[in-house]
Amino acid sequence: MFWKQQLEELIKGLDEERAEELRRLFEKVRAAPESPLPSDTDRTRENIYSTFFSCAGDIIIMHGLDGQIIDANRITCNRLGYTLEEMQGSHFSMLTGSHTKDRIEYVLGRVVSRGNYSFETVFVSKGGRQVPVEVSARIVTHGEQDVVLSIARDISARKVAEEIILEQKVFLSQIIKNLPVGLFVKKVKNDLRYTLWNSRMEEMTGHPREKAIGKTDRELFRENGLNWRNMTDQEAIRTGLPVEACSRERTPDGEETVYHVVKIPVMDAEGKADAILGIVENITDRVRAEGEIRKAHDDLERRVEQRTAELLGVNERLRIAEEKFRSIFENSILGIFRMNLDGRVLVCNQSLARMFGYESAEELIQASQERPESLHGDMRNREELQKRLLAGEDFEPFEYEYRRADGSVFTGRTHIRLLRDRRDNYPYLEGFIEDMSESKAFQQRLEQSQRDYRILYEQASEAIFLLDLKGRVLDANPMVTEILGYGLDEIRAMDPRDLITRDMERIREELRAVKSGKTLRLELNLRTGSGREITADLSARLLEGGRILAMLRDNTERTAMEGALRSAKEEAEQASQAKSEFLANMSHEIRTPLGGIIGMTDMVLGAGLQPQQAEYVKGIKEASRSLLEIINDILDFSKIEARKMEIALEPFQLRERLEIVVGTFRLAAMEKSLELRSVVPDDLPDGYMGDACRIGQVLSNLVGNAVKFTEEGFVEMRVRMLERTEDSARLEFSVTDTGIGISEADQGRLFDVFSQLEPSLSKRHRGTGLGLAISKRLVEMMGGEIFVRSRVGEGSCFTFRLELPFAEPSAEAQETERENVSQEGRRVLLAEDNELNQEFLTFFLKDAGHSVRVACNGHEVLTALREETFDLVLMDIQMPEMDGLETTAHIRAGETAAPRDIPIVALTAYAMKGDRERMLKAGMDDYLSKPVDMEKLYKIIARLTGERRAASEA
């Protein structure tokens, strides 16, 4: 297999076709019995190189990394005229000329650094002939050293082809540039934008090529001729056939110019129009000459009579004139005719035939011979016109109705005169017709549009003024009289600015700015003709021609309504504030005794009760905690409804939060023999930014409900990643159970406020019906969504999705929080007026090794601090005579013997938004809501007293 490896190494620099050819060649050589490949590695290598060098069709040169030629194949010697002996030992630059040696050194450097490199150069044969080549150089192993194998392909034919293409391109460019007609190309798939625009087009339109290329007709010509340009484009695209049109446009000095335009669709390989080639010719002179045809013809006849002796010269001039006449006659876009007094057409051009719907002029002439009346819309009009012509009356161009071959009628602008043949002396009619159908239809649409706008103007609900730059009213609609109470004549006679009642100078200054082109929108107060003051919105802008359009809307009622709404909003905010204060007070009044009840039950449970007594006390504690949950739900819902709930954005560990949720319900699940499990992928990142407390609250609601409504089976909490970006992840949280399930009809009201699916008096499961409603609102406040899938008797799956930013892992986040709760007792001053709370807090604090003194109000706190030394103060907020906030202010002011910085911890039943911030701002060092969690309290005492002691020792 060694020879195959060598082969593949050699052909790495070749294209696929040449490489495949050499593979087949080597297979043939290997299979030949007279050329067996020995197993010996060196001989195999030599045979491979020999076969490759001798059979390859390209120039192959092997040289060292320094450029010294080692070997070359037969093709190299034949094409360049050198013998192998002449090349061996010479530098590679010998083949490219000495002037390229630096270039060759550079290339060799690139080959060495990269391992392979491709480039173009020119080999010079021994006889001086230049051979353009494309070289592919690669580092290969030859013997025991690395060498460069260069394979050069002759690209002479390609270079010649490129030169021919370039020459043809330049030739074609010169043809297009010097064409006597305008030439353009539009690309269909690029919104018909111009891609070609020759110099003749620049002369005819005045638009230079660099401004025309890439533009559309609307951008170049605006509305000037936009309709016919668009219609002819679409017709060419639709039919796939050339389309001809004539355009009449005026130059800046007012001179009319006529263009003949041919648009030819250029089709792609699928037979669809890919581009439009346009040819534009200025035929103004030709059209003007058409009006002089008859004059030239009469002049020729007169000259024939006067110059019989000069017949040959006259005949020649006549022939030239006739050729000119024939060219104009046949190529004119106007319909040219000559007819007798019976209405039979004697002569006409092709344009007239097309105008009347016939394929050729002959068909039109034949039709008029058979039925002259078929060409006229009303024969009576024709007879009347003919009588006036015969009477010697001259006609200006007029509009006349003609009838097409299919019976339809069109309007033609007609130029006609009565002539008499001087020899036969019979009269006939001659002239030309311009089809006015399109312009007529446009005029009708314009008139209809004007009528429509006039109706809108008259019926508008706003007062509309048209003023001059001096502020005089030029016109106004009827609504002006209704709003301002003045007649139109009165308005025209006064200056409307005199009606302004407030901020007159400022408003007049803004009105003056309209003259400079500024669009004005403002609210102002005006006095009407009846003396009533109104509030109105005014908008004004400058129009062309030095006029100002102003619109006035009376919003007096709206302003009054907005004032009423503001008053109602203020009343609602006051009511909301009153509700919040009520909830805060009720929270305090309920939480305080609840805290005492829960604390006392903990004391009793630790007193060694009999089993039945312990069950009774546990029931009391469970009922108290259920009542506390109800209060918490109501407070949370009130915060959300009042928009006072805030979502924090702090770093947290996801798995730690999930473990807390599962741990909360593990005992309840065990009591019901349920399997409670948490599924989190191992590769899911753990650190995020968000409100871990609110996420845990939602999960707790969902897991708690799942445990509550499941009698057997399992409850599973699962987290998975839906999508991930560099900065964030979209996570899906789901809680699945095998519980009672929810009917499809009930699922629609599952997240409603106070909604319970078992509302009867005999219901088995307690609750406020607020848990899921709060969960839904919390998820939406965090920018997520929540939904449920469930079947009765099979279970439910609640799912919510959140996008959470990643959090950078910090030293604090990576370490598990460890509170070093000191076993050394502290001297604690407990400020608490509730006797139950005094008793159970004192009990548990002493049980933890602390000494406690109780104070029932703020005065007793200040007295105790003057009489004894304490390490810390536990301060109730709501106390008689002097509350906790006022007492703290006295302590921080230094009015006791205690240090001003003595740690003070707020113990309060207040749990509304801002309570914690309010406590800390008042001088508290920390905050704990009631009912008090004793483990948290122990940690706070250890931390605050430990920090203070460490600071004093330092």
Side-chain angles (χ1 to χ4, degrees), residues 39 97 479 598 721 774 868:
S39 58
M479 188 54 67
I598 294 172
M721 183 181 293
I774 292 173
E868 294 185 42

Side-chain angles (χ1 to χ4, degrees), residues 59-61 69 71-98 122-131:
I59 294 173
I60 302 177
I61 301 170
I69 298 175
D71 199 359
N73 68 343
R74 178 170 49 83
I75 294 296
T76 305
C77 297
N78 292 343
R79 292 189 180 179
L80 299 182
Y82 293 101
T83 64
L84 182 59
E85 291 74 15
E86 288 176 326
M87 287 190 288
Q88 287 179 331
S90 299
H91 194 271
F92 188 84
S93 61
M94 177 191 77
L95 304 179
T96 61
S98 60
V122 177
F123 282 170
V124 182
S125 70
K126 189 174 181 179
R129 183 173 61 89
Q130 293 188 341
V131 182

Side-chain angles (χ1 to χ4, degrees), residues 474-647:
L474 303 176
D475 194 10
N477 69 342
M479 188 54 67
V480 171
T481 299
E482 185 173 336
I483 293 177
L484 298 180
Y486 292 98
L488 184 57
D489 293 337
E490 294 177 291
I491 290 292
R492 286 176 174 167
M494 66 171 61
D495 187 340
R497 292 172 292 189
D498 294 338
L499 302 177
I500 301 170
T501 60
R502 305 179 190 177
D503 296 333
M504 287 181 287
E505 287 304 319
R506 178 183 64 82
I507 294 174
R508 283 176 175 264
E509 185 64 30
E510 293 190 28
L511 289 172
R512 281 192 287 270
V514 176
K515 298 179 184 179
S516 62
K518 177 183 177 183
T519 299
L520 175 68
R521 289 184 178 85
L522 56 81
E523 186 177 85
L524 71 169
N525 297 87
L526 303 172
R527 188 169 305 282
T528 66
S530 62
R532 183 172 66 95
E533 184 174 305
I534 64 170
T535 303
D537 286 332
L538 175 69
S539 62
R541 66 186 183 92
L542 185 66
L543 301 177
E544 293 181 0
R547 296 174 301 166
I548 296 174
L549 177 67
M551 300 181 68
L552 189 74
R553 179 187 292 273
D554 185 356
N555 62 2
T556 307
E557 295 182 1
R558 189 192 72 189
T559 303
M561 187 180 298
E562 289 174 352
L565 287 174
R566 282 194 295 271
S567 299
K569 180 176 179 292
E570 292 172 358
E571 293 177 1
E573 288 174 349
Q574 292 174 359
S576 176
Q577 180 63 29
K579 183 184 77 171
S580 297
E581 293 175 358
F582 171 76
L583 286 172
N585 290 329
M586 289 302 296
S587 168
H588 182 276
E589 294 302 325
I590 297 174
R591 283 173 177 269
T592 298
L594 269 180
I597 293 171
I598 294 172
M600 295 300 291
T601 55
D602 286 336
M603 290 174 57
V604 174
L605 286 172
L609 299 175
Q610 296 179 5
Q612 187 174 7
Q613 293 174 330
E615 288 298 321
Y616 292 157
V617 176
K618 285 181 180 178
I620 295 172
K621 181 178 180 181
E622 182 64 23
S624 300
R625 288 198 175 275
S626 297
L627 182 58
L628 184 61
E629 289 178 6
I630 293 172
I631 294 170
N632 288 337
D633 281 350
I634 293 173
L635 287 174
D636 281 346
F637 182 74
S638 298
K639 293 177 188 177
I640 293 172
E641 288 295 297
R643 293 184 174 87
K644 294 185 177 181
M645 175 74 77
E646 292 184 353
I647 300 299

Side-chain angles (χ1 to χ4, degrees), residues 405-425:
D406 60 4
S408 61
V409 175
F410 71 95
T411 301
R413 184 173 178 81
T414 305
H415 302 249
I416 193 170
R417 62 178 174 170
L418 179 69
L419 296 176
R420 295 181 184 273
D421 188 279
R422 294 184 178 182
R423 288 171 294 182
D424 298 330
N425 199 32

